[in-house]
Amino acid sequence: MLKVEKSVLELRKTLEEMTDIVISIVDTIRTCIKKENFETLEFVFQQDRHIDDLEKKIDQQAVALLALINPMASDLRFVFSVVKLNSDLERIGDECKNVAKELKTLEPPIPEDLKILADKVYEMVKDAVNALLNQNSALAQEIILKDDEVDKLEYSIQKKYSNSIGIAFAAKALERIADHTTNISENVVFATEGIDIRHENSIMNRLGKSDK
Amino acid sequence: MSINNKINVEQIKLSVENLDLFYGNNHALKKINIQIPANQITAFIGPSGCGKSSLLKCLNRMNDLISNIKITGQITVDNENIYDRKQDVTQLRRKVGMVFQKPNPFPKSIFDNVAYGIRIAGIKDKEKINNIVENSLKRVGLWKEVENRLQDSAMSLSGGQAQRLCIARTIATHPDVILMDEPTSALDPISTQVIEELILELKESYTVVIVTHNMQQAARISDITSFFYLGELVEVNPTNKIFTTPENKLTEKYITGRFG
Amino acid sequence: MVKTKIYNLIGYTIIGFLCVSTILPIIAMILFIFSKGISRINYEFLFTVSSSMETGGIFAPIYGTIFLTFITMLIAVPIGVMSATYMSEYTKKGKLFYLLELTIVNLAGIPSVVYGLFGLGIFVLLLKIGISILAGALTMGVLILPLIITVSYQSLQAVSENIREASYALGASRLQTVVKVILPTATPGILTGIILATARVAGETAPILFTAAAYYLPSLPSSVFDKTMLLSYHLFAISTQVVGVSDEQKYGVTFVLISVVLILNLLAILIRDKISKKLGVHK
Ligand SMILES: Nc1ncnc2c1ncn2[C@@H]1O[C@H](COP(=O)(O)OP(=O)(O)OP(=O)(O)O)[C@@H](O)[C@H]1O
Ligand SMILES: [Mg+2]
């Protein structure tokens, strides 16, 4: 195996550790909401330090890789995208903590809408990680499309439950998690195809460009 | 650093059209089409034996010295076909100068090395020669190092100094284009850096075409990179594009080091 | 470690021994001749033209030898160097070239007495130059041409291709490249050839035997059309033809002959080194 391949693989392994944890805490959040049972929420807080450490480790590995191996083209784009989506992953962890904090203030029953939102967000995170680890641009693009649904759902929750700060905040945090998965997906598209689709106005425009 | 994803074709200095080159039966260059813009640095990269040097040597007809070579197609410099019958080769080489892989100073004094090109071009005025030598040596940042020993043999210079001397010797004849065939491959990192900086400066006044095996070097200094493989020009694109998002799979493979 | 050291020691000893065994005979010979001939060396011996062969000064042959060597070089060096340049820089390496090369190699192997007869036939008789320094120099010239050509050719070939390319790339024509770069660069090597040739000219006897040498002349030659006495032939004459020459006289002449050759060599080496140094090449 080439040195560059080895180094990229090592980076990937750390990345996988990170995504495993991120998925598990988002899953915890989802399950807690679904089952209206907050006993396992502690897990989310426990993982926080772990995530922070991994974030640092990924950055260190990436910097070393850039400095020592001088990756080019797709390797370069992969490393660059990992550096960027690394912080999105860490922020997902933070947002999970925020959701958990809000959940602790709530008493069941939990509104059905929030359960649906949590489900959707979980699916998005899972897909984003899947797209990332398999460098699947098509999947990443689908996730970006889903973001709108989440935004709408969150908006309606905000309206409906404006009297319950806990629910509104939890929905807001879940929506932010979805935003981070969009960022991750954008980075996956960049890594795989070399196109930067951020800040494009319409979704059609974004994806039209990546049709090539 | 400006991000450049399109080749600026405003002013084409050199243009190669449908160039084929054979060494006997060896078809070393196949239907090459490339345009080289003025005042930019164009890098040729590609695996060993892909024809980079061969193409470079076509550009100032250094291949004329090789027997059993056949070249078809057209190369124009400033819209004049250099393979035209009327083309004076010595004139062409003054216009399109060349720096080689190994520093190759003449076994003459430092001064005579730099003065060689202009002397054979017929310049006799001592004052003028002195000025040109001094300016050329200053241009390559060698003047301070050698001003007190201009009459010493050029063979006494270090590798990096000798290569800068060779560049000075080339710019003394005031070419429009400077071709460089792996100019730093025989040098240490510091000398390499000095020469890279020099090449970047030269681009203000000259069109530079450089063959290099060092991809980092191509990435660092060139504006446009062309990738050659087995005698074919696979991809030409702005350097920034080639090294981040190459269009061709082969280029990608070569650049990421996953070749063969 | 110890083993390597021992091997090294043995190796060096053998090489050193072989080295000494090549140098020793030369030194011994020079010392021998020196010891026997030195007593004869004085101003009068070196710088007067003698009135007899058995004793007296040998300025005439010394002068003749130097004169002839000089004229020979004047003739042979330009022709030889130009031929070598032509072969190295202008011909294609085809059949004709190899024929030429072969001829030159063969010429170098012909016994010198054959050159002498050739010179007699062509220069002295056919061209009616007569026995003279010129005829001798021409003959000697032909004799050393192969040497000069071969050595010059090799040193021209040794000029690195990089330097030629550099010259062409600066817009030089072929002639300019040859004259301004290749020949100067090859000069030290060419001079080595000339040194060897010089020594040969000063020492050879057979080629000048019929073409230039006089048995005895009471005066110095005044032009290239005169005959001349020559050290090598003089030595031959007093050793074999004339009776009653003292050993001291013979060794004296021998000593001078060797010295002339050595001095000519030394001079050439000094010139070569000076040029090498100027070019910055170390040969
Ligand atoms: N003078 C020559 N005569 C015959 N064949 C030649 C000659 N010069 C080059 N070739 C052949 O042409 C092909 C291209 O050679 P060229 O020197 O242009 O490659 P290159 O890309 O410069 O390689 P490198 O990176 O090793 O310098 C090779 O197959 C080589 O063997
Ligand atoms: Mg080459």
Side-chain angles (χ1 to χ4, degrees):
Chain A
M1 198 191 285
L2 291 171
K3 173 89 179 156
V4 56
E5 288 174 315
K6 254 190 223 158
S7 313
V8 168
L9 200 71
E10 270 170 37
L11 180 63
R12 239 189 93 106
K13 276 200 188 123
T14 322
L15 186 65
E16 270 178 56
E17 271 182 61
M18 177 79 145
T19 53
D20 281 351
I21 296 175
V22 168
I23 287 181
S24 69
I25 58 174
V26 178
D27 190 27
T28 309
I29 297 284
R30 177 188 71 145
T31 326
C32 289
I33 293 177
K34 221 175 183 172
K35 297 195 173 144
E36 303 184 349
N37 175 348
F38 305 147
E39 270 169 22
T40 48
L41 274 182
E42 232 13 71
F43 177 70
V44 175
F45 298 101
Q46 283 162 5
Q47 293 303 316
D48 189 46
R49 267 213 36 208
H50 211 155
I51 290 185
D52 287 350
D53 288 348
L54 281 171
E55 186 195 19
K56 282 191 212 158
K57 191 173 169 196
I58 288 176
D59 276 359
Q60 279 165 5
Q61 277 183 349
V63 167
L65 210 157
L66 289 170
L68 306 179
I69 315 280
N70 283 313
M72 287 290 187
S74 53
D75 294 330
L76 175 64
R77 298 199 306 267
F78 177 73
V79 177
F80 181 73
S81 71
V82 167
V83 171
K84 294 186 69 191
L85 58 84
N86 187 23
S87 67
D88 285 308
L89 289 170
E90 191 268 342
R91 297 291 292 283
I92 290 177
D94 286 351
E95 297 297 347
C96 285
K97 271 192 312 188
N98 290 340
V99 179
K101 272 183 215 151
E102 298 307 329
L103 290 180
K104 277 185 174 169
T105 67
L106 293 179
E107 293 290 325
I110 301 288
E112 201 54 31
D113 286 351
L114 196 65
K115 291 182 180 171
I116 298 172
L117 181 63
D119 247 349
K120 284 205 156 130
V121 168
Y122 171 74
E123 288 304 324
M124 278 176 82
V125 172
K126 221 177 75 181
D127 285 349
V129 167
N130 194 348
L132 166 62
L133 295 181
N134 297 313
Q135 292 288 289
N136 184 338
S137 173
L139 183 57
Q141 288 169 23
E142 274 175 40
I143 295 162
I144 296 166
L145 285 170
K146 274 191 197 154
D147 189 43
D148 257 12
E149 290 173 38
V150 170
D151 282 354
K152 276 180 198 143
L153 188 55
E154 187 253 350
Y155 186 67
S156 71
I157 293 174
Q158 295 292 348
K159 267 187 157 175
K160 243 196 241 172
Y161 303 96
S162 51
N163 54 346
S164 162
I165 293 183
I167 289 176
F169 274 20
K172 187 75 217 160
L174 283 168
E175 189 269 336
R176 282 204 212 98
I177 294 178
D179 281 350
H180 288 302
T181 64
T182 324
N183 287 349
I184 292 172
S185 303
E186 283 166 352
N187 277 302
V188 171
V189 173
F190 174 74
T192 48
E193 308 199 31
I195 329 163
D196 193 343
I197 55 169
R198 290 173 305 170
H199 316 305
E200 293 288 343
N201 293 337
S202 76
I203 294 196
M204 287 320 285
N205 216 352
R206 293 172 143 198
L207 298 185
K209 228 185 144 183
S210 55
D211 261 357
K212 208 170 57 166
Chain B
M1 205 168 112
S2 68
I3 302 292
N4 173 18
N5 264 321
K6 282 227 172 67
I7 295 176
N8 179 3
V9 286
E10 254 171 39
Q11 208 193 340
I12 296 300
K13 188 76 195 175
L14 266 152
S15 166
V16 178
E17 283 159 42
N18 289 325
L19 187 89
D20 277 276
L21 183 149
F22 298 83
Y23 294 110
N25 287 328
N26 178 5
H27 197 171
L29 288 173
K30 297 165 192 164
K31 282 267 167 296
I32 304 294
N33 283 286
I34 184 171
Q35 299 195 312
I36 290 164
N39 295 93
Q40 302 221 15
I41 301 171
T42 302
F44 291 175
I45 61 168
S48 194
C50 66
K52 307 176 295 289
S53 302
S54 300
L55 178 60
L56 200 71
K57 283 184 182 158
C58 286
L59 302 181
N60 67 345
R61 291 188 53 179
M62 282 300 282
N63 303 337
D64 285 15
L65 307 170
I66 299 168
S67 57
N68 210 11
I69 192 170
K70 197 181 123 213
I71 299 168
T72 62
Q74 188 172 307
I75 298 178
T76 57
V77 177
D78 289 333
N79 295 319
E80 277 175 48
N81 184 0
I82 63 167
Y83 276 95
D84 195 284
R85 237 170 250 281
K86 280 177 287 178
Q87 177 70 51
D88 176 357
V89 182
T90 58
Q91 211 64 42
L92 169 71
R93 292 188 189 139
R94 259 167 230 151
K95 191 168 176 176
V96 183
M98 190 164 210
V99 175
F100 298 83
Q101 176 172 4
K102 272 204 211 130
N104 54 356
F106 300 124
K108 294 174 181 290
S109 71
I110 292 169
F111 186 93
D112 287 346
N113 261 277
V114 184
Y116 183 82
I118 39 179
R119 279 183 179 147
I120 58 168
I123 293 176
K124 295 226 166 61
D125 183 354
K126 281 233 167 78
E127 187 83 5
K128 197 170 174 190
I129 295 178
N130 285 343
N131 278 338
I132 293 178
V133 169
E134 180 173 340
N135 286 335
S136 307
L137 286 170
K138 277 185 176 155
R139 192 74 202 262
V140 300
L142 201 57
W143 178 251
K144 283 257 155 57
E145 291 157 64
V146 301
E147 66 179 316
N148 294 321
R149 49 179 187 130
L150 289 173
Q151 292 313 319
D152 284 8
S153 168
M155 306 312 253
S156 63
L157 297 174
S158 75
Q161 288 175 325
Q163 193 62 304
R164 279 185 284 153
L165 180 76
C166 292
I167 297 174
R169 188 173 66 181
T170 302
I171 60 180
T173 62
H174 215 81
D176 287 0
V177 182
I178 302 179
L179 310 175
M180 301 186 167
D181 198 345
E182 302 179 43
T184 61
S185 65
L187 304 181
D188 66 287
I190 300 290
S191 309
T192 299
Q193 197 181 9
V194 171
I195 288 186
E196 283 181 6
E197 291 302 317
L198 170 61
I199 294 172
L200 283 170
E201 272 172 38
L202 291 179
K203 121 180 173 180
E204 312 262 304
S205 348
Y206 306 91
T207 302
V208 179
V209 184
I210 178 170
V211 170
T212 177
H213 271 283
N214 181 338
M215 276 189 279
Q216 247 59 48
Q217 181 168 68
R220 277 192 299 265
I221 64 175
S222 72
D223 300 297
I224 293 164
T225 300
S226 2
F227 170 60
F228 292 82
Y229 183 58
L230 294 178
E232 287 181 67
L233 175 57
V234 176
E235 180 170 349
V236 193
N237 258 319
T239 301
N240 162 54
K241 182 158 171 51
I242 288 260
F243 287 99
T244 53
T245 52
E247 276 170 12
N248 192 291
K249 278 260 144 52
L250 268 175
T251 318
E252 163 93 27
K253 267 188 158 179
Y254 183 70
I255 283 171
T256 55
R258 291 177 180 75
F259 221 68
Chain C
M1 270 310 283
V2 177
K3 234 182 182 175
T4 350
K5 265 189 186 163
I6 292 173
Y7 284 143
N8 265 339
L9 197 68
I10 295 173
Y12 278 127
T13 315
I14 293 174
I15 293 168
F17 180 75
L18 292 175
C19 198
V20 169
S21 65
T22 41
I23 300 172
L24 215 56
I26 301 171
I27 293 179
M29 196 170 79
I30 290 176
L31 283 181
F32 178 72
I33 292 165
F34 183 81
S35 65
K36 290 238 174 184
I38 190 74
S39 56
R40 187 65 189 88
I41 306 301
N42 56 37
Y43 181 83
E44 174 254 335
F45 181 66
L46 291 177
F47 293 108
T48 56
V49 179
S50 132
S51 51
S52 91
M53 280 200 77
E54 294 84 356
T55 59
I58 56 162
F59 187 62
I62 294 178
Y63 179 80
T65 294
I66 293 174
F67 196 172
L68 181 95
T69 307
F70 183 70
I71 300 295
T72 305
M73 289 307 162
L74 219 56
I75 296 166
V77 168
I79 297 178
V81 172
M82 280 195 271
S83 310
T85 308
Y86 177 74
M87 282 173 66
S88 165
E89 306 301 321
Y90 287 88
T91 51
K92 282 228 167 79
K93 307 272 176 289
K95 275 199 181 115
L96 194 74
F97 174 82
Y98 288 110
L99 198 70
L100 201 65
E101 207 178 21
L102 195 71
T103 316
I104 290 166
V105 173
N106 281 334
L107 272 180
I110 292 175
S112 56
V113 66
V114 178
Y115 281 101
L117 291 170
F118 168 81
L120 175 68
I122 300 293
F123 301 124
V124 177
L125 301 176
L126 191 70
L127 295 180
K128 298 198 170 61
I129 299 174
I131 296 180
S132 60
I133 290 178
L134 183 60
L138 285 167
T139 312
M140 275 292 195
V142 176
L143 172 85
I144 59 166
L145 260 185
L147 181 66
I148 293 185
I149 293 178
T150 315
V151 178
S152 304
Y153 175 75
Q154 275 158 5
S155 29
L156 286 166
Q157 288 285 295
V159 174
S160 117
E161 206 50 45
N162 298 337
I163 289 177
R164 280 166 231 256
E165 276 189 327
S167 174
Y168 287 124
L170 287 166
S173 66
R174 183 186 290 209
L175 185 65
Q176 284 171 325
T177 303
V178 168
V179 173
K180 302 211 164 168
V181 175
I182 300 179
L183 278 174
T185 309
T187 302
I190 293 174
L191 281 178
T192 311
I194 295 175
I195 293 167
L196 292 171
T198 311
R200 188 126 187 239
V201 171
E204 275 285 353
T205 318
I208 41 90
L209 204 55
F210 321 116
T211 54
Y215 185 69
Y216 172 70
L217 282 177
S219 61
L220 298 177
S222 57
S223 82
V224 291
F225 297 106
D226 290 345
K227 290 182 186 182
T228 181
M229 289 181 78
L230 293 158
L231 272 175
S232 56
Y233 181 59
H234 183 66
L235 180 61
F236 172 70
I238 59 172
S239 317
T240 60
Q241 318 290 73
V242 188
V243 277
V245 182
S246 67
D247 271 4
E248 194 188 28
Q249 177 83 2
K250 289 179 196 165
Y251 281 114
V253 174
T254 313
F255 177 73
V256 170
L257 177 58
I258 288 184
S259 302
V260 167
V261 171
L262 287 181
I263 287 167
L264 285 176
N265 273 350
L266 199 70
L267 249 148
I269 289 172
L270 286 177
I271 295 171
R272 182 187 68 181
D273 286 354
K274 194 147 186 223
I275 292 176
S276 290
K277 208 168 165 196
K278 203 169 150 226
L279 293 174
V281 288
H282 302 285
K283 280 245 154 124

